[in-house]
Amino acid sequence: MEPNIRPPDWPRPPVALPHAWLTRPPSDARVTVAGLVLIRQRPGTANGVIFLTLEDETGTCNVVVWRKIYERFRRAVISGRLLRVTGRVQHGHGVVNVIAEEVEDISPMLDALLERPEMRDA
């Protein structure tokens, strides 16, 4: 008989996890988050690491983009207004970060917000 394994109680990629739920998955769980880019930081002392702050309707999310990932997804990281990030959750010192593995610019989805509802259904 197989053990009774309960599925995780957080959305799994490619479904985006609401930022308010980032404390639910354990450290190193793979998640996807999406949100508007509030802040991009590239401190000179960070050895090429970029820190992003994304916002969704439930709160904010800290994203760490290592140099290798930045080089691969440079255009999205630099110019995206709305990003979808898949990576690993990291808990530590009262802070939750998502360590980016993939970064996708989904900014064109913002344009859909400007369309009238009757135009979207056509």
Side-chain angles (χ1 to χ4, degrees), residues 39-43 46-53 62-67 69-71 73-74 77-78 98 100:
I39 300 170
R40 284 182 185 86
Q41 295 178 322
R42 189 175 187 177
N47 294 327
V49 177
I50 295 181
F51 301 97
L52 304 172
T53 301
N62 300 315
V63 176
V64 178
V65 183
W66 293 107
R67 181 184 305 214
I69 299 301
Y70 168 70
E71 289 169 1
F73 299 102
R74 179 185 180 112
V77 173
I78 289 175
V98 174

Side-chain angles (χ1 to χ4, degrees), residues 67-85:
R67 181 184 305 214
K68 183 177 178 181
I69 299 301
Y70 168 70
E71 289 169 1
R72 187 168 165 210
F73 299 102
R74 179 185 180 112
R75 185 181 191 115
V77 173
I78 289 175
S79 63
R81 297 177 295 145
L82 180 65
L83 297 178
R84 178 172 32 223
V85 177

